[in-house]
Amino acid sequence: MIRIENLTRAFAVGRETIKALDGVSFEVQKGEYLTVTGPSGSGKSTLLMTLGGLSHPTSGRVMFDGVDIYRQTPPALAQFRTKTIGFVFQQFHLVPYLTAWENVALPLMLNGSGRGKHKDIAVGLLRRVDLSSRLNHKPSQLSVGQQQRVAMARTLANNPSVILADEPTGSLDPSLTADLLSLLADLNHEGKTIILVTHSNEVATAGDRHISLRDGRIQEVPGSGTTSNLERVGVRSS
């Protein structure tokens, strides 16, 4: 379970102090699919980066299974990110001179896991996202949708239990958006916890639960998503 307690993240801008997060508290159960909406500047991305161990809060706690991740040593925090968190971004951040399978294998190479099996794991993940025919293609040789699928396969390389997605559909057309949401729904059905930040109220209905941020504070907690909502964004329940 993830528990966020009175989370504040403040930045100095000249002589002013801007609170990107201002006393945010909520819980996410294991295996839940939470979506977060709000206008630009509401604190959505800051919340995601703080949850993922990338942005130290000014105050408050981020608890994973009862452990405050920001009370860990830097090496322990880095290990937590590597083993627990998978990030999905609007920009794919693929390495241009690496092939598709090498991009997917990169997290395994960096943390030393799966030594000797990097390519086998990467190929298996690319098959899962229907890219087995593009293993040796570089990003410039792939369509936008194919690059997005390579990025998703790379996210899964270390088998994270929590996936944090920051506006992952922002640069995708409706068909590719539906494909990505379908994959996230499948991963959620397999037990992975999903937290997805989006500007789109329609995309937000794909989750089990939805919270809204404004000026760094939670404004509302609407009801759960429904099958009809999921179908409306192109995701059908299994």
Side-chain angles (χ1 to χ4, degrees), residues 173-208:
D173 65 28
S175 176
L176 295 176
T177 292
D179 288 344
L180 176 59
L181 293 177
S182 181
L183 177 57
L184 289 173
D186 288 344
L187 293 169
N188 181 240
H189 292 157
E190 294 170 9
K192 295 189 185 299
T193 303
I194 311 288
I195 302 177
L196 183 151
V197 159
T198 179
H199 277 97
S200 169
N201 289 327
E202 188 176 21
V203 169
T205 64
D208 301 321

Side-chain angles (χ1 to χ4, degrees), residues 17 35 43 57-58 68 73 75 77 109 118 136 143 175 177 191 197 210 221:
T17 298
T35 57
T58 304
D68 185 344
T73 64
L77 180 58
M109 297 174 183
H118 295 154
N136 294 306
S143 69
S175 176
T177 292
V197 159
H210 166 205
V221 183

Side-chain angles (χ1 to χ4, degrees), residues 61-79:
R61 301 198 296 175
V62 177
M63 311 285 288
F64 277 73
D65 294 328
V67 176
D68 185 344
I69 64 171
Y70 287 104
R71 286 186 174 271
Q72 305 302 300
T73 64
L77 180 58
Q79 186 176 52

